[in-house]
Amino acid sequence: MNADVLLLTSRLVSTEIDAPLREALGCPEPLEELSAEFCRLFVGPRPVCPPYASVQRGEPMVGGRAERRLKDFAARHGLDVVVPPGFAVLALDHLGVELALLHHLGDGPVAAELLDDHLRPWAPGYLRLLEESARLEPYVSAARWCREELT
């Protein structure tokens, strides 16, 4: 599993691209355009690609059963899942949280459980939707690369 792809995708779906990341990625678009794309895709008022397992699996609310399942997983394995301040994350079933957790776990049976039980049921389809819906390159490529990593 490519750790850089997991972290980049986690970052891109969790918070807007700032000047240092824009420069590192070589994005020609101005920050305002990147910010508008982040909001269109992930925040809304009616986001095109809400990055939550609950939403993608048709559950009645953000978080809900999907978030409880992830919290139970974390508790069983002694993991403390914390979202950094400033990230646009409403619930722990957010793709960025799950990818960061996968990165943290590395390889092994706990990572395999996270992949099989929490990410693979919804994330590859979601990442395809993101790849098709995004208008700016950083999001298109990261979605494609991450989908390839998860499948």
Side-chain angles (χ1 to χ4, degrees), residues 108-151:
V110 178
E113 181 184 344
L114 178 63
L115 272 169
D116 292 340
D117 295 349
H118 297 276
L119 279 161
R120 286 190 177 131
W122 73 278
Y126 169 79
L127 290 163
R128 183 175 302 283
L129 172 66
L130 177 57
E131 183 181 352
E132 293 168 355
S133 301
R135 296 176 182 158
L136 300 180
E137 185 52 38
Y139 298 106
V140 174
S141 293
R144 181 175 55 262
W145 297 332
C146 191
R147 182 174 45 80
E148 290 169 357
E149 289 296 318
L150 297 180
T151 53

Side-chain angles (χ1 to χ4, degrees), residues 62-86:
V62 170
R65 290 188 308 263
E67 183 176 45
R68 283 193 305 276
R69 284 190 302 269
L70 189 64
K71 284 181 177 180
D72 290 345
F73 167 84
R76 269 195 328 278
H77 297 291
L79 302 168
D80 187 23
V81 181
V82 177
V83 177

Side-chain angles (χ1 to χ4, degrees), residues 23-99:
E23 185 176 318
L25 294 173
C27 297
E29 296 84 9
L31 284 174
E32 296 78 19
E33 193 173 328
L34 293 165
S35 177
E37 179 70 343
F38 176 84
C39 291
R40 184 184 77 81
L41 290 169
F42 309 120
V43 178
R46 289 198 168 95
V48 175
C49 299
Y52 294 92
S54 52
V55 173
Q56 298 305 315
R57 297 176 95 173
E59 294 179 10
M61 60 184 258
V62 170
R65 290 188 308 263
E67 183 176 45
R68 283 193 305 276
R69 284 190 302 269
L70 189 64
K71 284 181 177 180
D72 290 345
F73 167 84
R76 269 195 328 278
H77 297 291
L79 302 168
D80 187 23
V81 181
V82 177
V83 177
F87 278 42
V89 174
L90 300 175
L92 296 182
D93 67 321
H94 189 282
L95 180 64
V97 172
E98 293 187 20
L99 291 175

